Amino acid sequence: MVRALAPVLKGLAYGAVGYGVGGPLLAGLVRALGGSFPFDLELATGAVVGTLGWLAGVGVWDTWARGWFGLPLRPWPEDKSVVRYFRFTTDHKVIGIQYLVTFLGLFFLGGALAILMRWELMRPGMQLLTLNGYNQVMSLHGIVMIAVAVAIFLGGLGNYCVPLMIGAPDMAFPRVNALSYWLTPPVAVMLLASLLVGGWDSGWTAYPPLSAVNAPGQVLMIVAVVIFGVSSILGGINFLVTIARMRAPGMTWGRMPIFVWSVFAASLLSFIFTQYLAASLLMVLLDRVAGMSYFHFARGGTPVVYQQLFWFYSHPAVYIMILPAFGAALEVITHFARTPLYAYRWVVGGFLGIVGLSGIVWAHHNFTSGMPDWMHAPMLATTEAISVPTGLVFLSALGTLVRGRLWLRTPMLFALAWVWNFLIGGVTGIFNADVATDLHLHDTYFVVGHFHYTIMGGEIFALFAALYYWYPKITGRMYDERLGRVHFWWTFLAFNATFFPMFWAGLHGMNRRIADYPAALGAVNLWTSVAAFVLGAGFLVFLYNFVTSWVRGPAAGANPWHASTLEWQTSSPPPVENFPAPPAVVGGPYVYGIPRARHAALGAAGGRAG
Amino acid sequence: MKEVLAEKLRVGSTVFVALCALTAVEWFAARWPGALLWLAVIAAAKAALIAEYFMHSSQLLGEEGS
Amino acid sequence: MHRPEAARLSPHELYNARLGLWLFIVSEAALFSAFIAARYLNLGTQRPAELNQPLGLAITAALLLSSLTAYRAETCIAHGDRAGFLRNTLWTLLLAVVFLVGVVAEWVEAFHLFPPGTRYGTSFFSLTGLHGLHVLSGAVLLLGVYLHGRRGRYGPEDYWPVEGVVKYWHFVDVAWVFIYPTLYLVG
Ligand code: HEM
Ligand SMILES: [Cu+2]
């Protein structure tokens, strides 16, 4: 146990020392010398130095940075057991699993916070939390879930599957990949630790002027999000170089599985736009710790500028979340419809169209913010224009379904539910994008319904499709199909029961981010809360299924789905080097029902190609 | 080797002179009508010179190992 | 400390490293662009008359010159001229220090003229501060490359660390190419 956790313990120790030196010690020193060192600043420097300490302890120093100083590296002894998941390991498959487990854990944490909120909202009046306590729970739920939505697909399944799907031995920069992962635990720690210093109550969007003056917990949130941003930027760059440069011979751009394309598109967004999130939060931080006047109202700042910069990232961010989900859902749909993906090229065009448009729609979040009037109409138009590339993705899904013979296993059920949920999410987005309508809908539960249909109904359902689909590859074992179906129907029905009434509640005046509401809205809230508890309980089925099947499920074999793409042509789980020899790709990825067509020629590993 | 090196160093100096000249122009451009646009164009030109000659941006277009 | 022969980058890996660094630079450029945009969004093209223009021009010149010396350093090692590489790296470092000292001098003055709580001061201090941190980190990297170089590392076939650090250094200069007019010239 201690042996397994040694690097993590070392990281924690170094991190604590780093925090102490960079925070309290430095602050105390400056104060002793007669300088001023605000507590906010102490938290920020402590958190940054603490993160560096954590990284050094957990393995960056021993396995990487010593080389910069001409010292010999000290790698940990080779270990093939579960121990390697607790190490600064460069194997993309290990890192993928690290991401998946970490962020599924955070997903359940965020879910528990949601249950708390729904408990409070079950009846009018206050029952469980204080007003301020509710705001903190709501804010923490929001940021944790956003982090999960951004990282779990790219970091988890992207890492695990992309190198396999393009026939590469690993990512282009394996150590940077490990760094991206190991930057995320401090993020979680900081978000939780923020509760010790007053939490923060400004929601995941952290709008000033409130965020410029509220409790010090806001500082930890800012540092956490900026560090998370560094991790996603490095991850995005890594995917771009990997996909551009590490493809197996013959794997042309036009032969890449659609999931790889979606990861590529999402990475384009994340490596460029994440900086605007960092910038907007850094400005808030500067207002707090350096007395600057970006947004601080009393000093003449302009808070609406924050909203512009923030959404310049955070709208593209929703596509960072949803693009890999598009890719994965289409992947599952085409394999389980046993037919080539319909309109492959149009989907690729749709992905790139989304990338292109997503930088010019941000202000649809600001229709009520007091931004210049002339921005309203163009942003309405560009936002609604995004329906075109999104529609292409949809048409491809529908076309594939129409032309195929559907094999209704659990992954396919989740993928079909994705079509339904995302349709509702997208259509309600159009209402939000319409300025006149949005003036009424903004900051109501209608918006809450919209983004839960897109993120939970769209992304998380696609995530489950993908998790069930790749589970046998990742674990080498088959999950329990019966429990999978139970989980599916339970989640699908409870999800819709929870979130559909939110549209109605929003239209009838239920504001978002409030702990209390008029008694007239009691019935709909009670219904929503009960449905939410049922939804939450459903995840236990999933958890039970995945944990027990990993331990004692039946062996899955290399290719239980008889799928054509490369990841299925090697053993389950794949060997460290992925393929005994680089596969030679000779055709498109989805060779179903085409006589004699082949995707790739492989030497070993017992799978069948095509 | 020696001559190649000397030639490349000369190119660097030429680019440097051009950058200085553009910086000088910036000073005056700040007073022209439409100054913001002029300044943006000049800055972009300076950035392009640095990116191409000092940072060898076209290396990315060229052939390489694989 | 010589790296073992096998650790040298293959042409394929070298290209990947370059591409990765370029993407990183583009991403960093986005960060600077956000702070530059905030300057215009917050206060348009207003500029205080008290700015120390000669000092601004002087540090701009120093940074521009350091790009030339950095270029010379890389070009020298690429052609096997170790002495030239070391000399030019040292010059670059010196100019980096000149630049940083200049910025500190600017800050001392600016604290009285337009402190961080004012609108111009906000953009002035955050842009010069953000950029200054990049100069500082670039200088540390240059120092590292210099020390390794003095111990006989790098050669015409194996100088990616030098190339990478120098590219980063040029990027820091490019950032200033946009910051300088934004802070000193517009308005
Ligand atoms: C299909 C096209 C879509 C359109 C037209 C659209 C439009 C909009 C608009 C106009 C708003 C602002 C509503 C308001 O605050 O008054 C909004 C909010 C939001 N949307 Fe969408 N959306 C679309 C897809 C998506 C997708 C795919 C996601 C995520 C995966 C998403 C996530 C969100 C989130 C998180 C918010 C709320 C942000 C907040 O204020 O906290 N949307 N959407
Ligand atoms: Cu949006």
Side-chain angles (χ1 to χ4, degrees), chain A residues 413-444:
Chain A
L413 293 175
F414 273 101
L416 291 173
W418 163 82
V419 175
W420 166 255
N421 293 340
F422 193 75
L423 185 67
I424 298 180
V427 168
T428 51
I430 306 277
F431 290 90
N432 290 334
D434 187 75
V435 181
T437 326
D438 186 60
L439 294 183
H440 301 281
L441 299 177
H442 180 68
D443 266 348
T444 70

Side-chain angles (χ1 to χ4, degrees), chain A residues 204 311 318 365 422 429 432-433 438 442 447 450-451 454-455 512:
Chain A
W204 80 274
W311 288 109
V318 308
H365 295 273
F422 193 75
N432 290 334
D438 186 60
H442 180 68
V447 175
H450 158 70
F451 68 73
T454 48
I455 300 182
R512 72 186 278 207

Side-chain angles (χ1 to χ4, degrees), chain A residues 184-466:
Chain A
T184 60
V187 172
V189 171
M190 278 178 226
L191 289 177
L192 291 177
S194 76
L195 295 176
L196 300 178
V197 286
W200 86 100
D201 52 0
S202 54
W204 80 274
T205 50
Y207 276 5
L210 178 57
S211 61
V213 295
N214 58 357
Q218 185 77 56
V219 171
L220 285 181
M221 178 271 194
I222 290 174
V223 177
V225 173
V226 170
I227 290 175
F228 183 67
V230 174
S231 157
S232 19
I233 290 167
L234 295 177
I237 292 174
N238 217 337
F239 278 122
L240 291 176
V241 179
T242 303
I243 295 172
R245 302 273 312 153
M246 306 286 283
R247 284 170 284 132
M251 177 66 83
T252 57
W253 289 94
R255 288 175 181 164
M256 293 193 320
I258 204 67
F259 179 65
V260 178
W261 265 112
S262 71
V263 168
F264 186 77
S267 300
L268 278 175
L269 291 174
S270 77
F271 102 96
I272 210 155
F273 285 103
T274 307
Q275 295 282 14
Y276 294 91
L277 175 70
S280 53
L281 288 172
L282 284 176
M283 287 172 196
V284 175
L285 191 66
L286 287 172
D287 273 8
R288 294 181 71 111
V289 303
M292 295 206 177
S293 65
Y294 276 108
F295 315 121
H296 198 291
F297 221 73
R299 303 189 197 119
T302 32
V304 70
V305 169
Y306 175 88
Q307 298 193 25
Q308 307 279 12
L309 285 174
F310 179 85
W311 288 109
F312 194 63
Y313 161 76
S314 291
H315 181 81
V318 308
Y319 286 99
I320 299 175
M321 302 168 194
I322 201 71
L323 277 168
F326 283 175
L330 290 181
E331 194 77 34
V332 169
I333 285 176
T334 186
H335 289 302
F336 285 79
R338 315 307 294 174
T339 180
L341 184 68
Y342 180 67
Y344 173 95
R345 281 160 189 269
W346 290 90
V347 177
V348 172
F351 287 171
L352 298 178
I354 288 174
V355 169
L357 281 173
S358 65
I360 51 170
V361 301
W362 73 93
H364 60 223
H365 295 273
N366 306 347
F367 289 146
T368 63
S369 69
M371 69 177 180
D373 276 346
W374 62 264
M375 288 184 79
H376 287 149
M379 288 292 167
L380 184 164
T382 50
T383 302
E384 298 198 350
I386 284 215
S387 320
V388 176
T390 313
L392 292 176
V393 175
F394 246 94
L395 289 180
S396 160
L398 295 181
T400 311
L401 289 173
V402 167
R403 301 208 309 187
R405 284 203 330 277
L406 309 191
W407 185 19
L408 291 178
R409 300 287 299 262
T410 310
M412 185 60 154
L413 293 175
F414 273 101
L416 291 173
W418 163 82
V419 175
W420 166 255
N421 293 340
F422 193 75
L423 185 67
I424 298 180
V427 168
T428 51
I430 306 277
F431 290 90
N432 290 334
D434 187 75
V435 181
T437 326
D438 186 60
L439 294 183
H440 301 281
L441 299 177
H442 180 68
D443 266 348
T444 70
Y445 263 71
F446 192 92
V447 175
V448 179
H450 158 70
F451 68 73
H452 282 90
Y453 262 93
T454 48
I455 300 182
M456 169 118 195
E459 184 191 352
I460 300 298
F461 271 69
L463 176 74
F464 281 120

Side-chain angles (χ1 to χ4, degrees), chain A residues 68 245 271 276 293-294 302, chain C residues 16 27 33 42 119 122 126 148:
Chain A
W68 306 337
R245 302 273 312 153
F271 102 96
Y276 294 91
S293 65
Y294 276 108
T302 32
Chain C
N16 289 358
S27 172
S33 82
N42 271 335
R119 284 179 155 211
T122 293
S126 36
H148 278 301

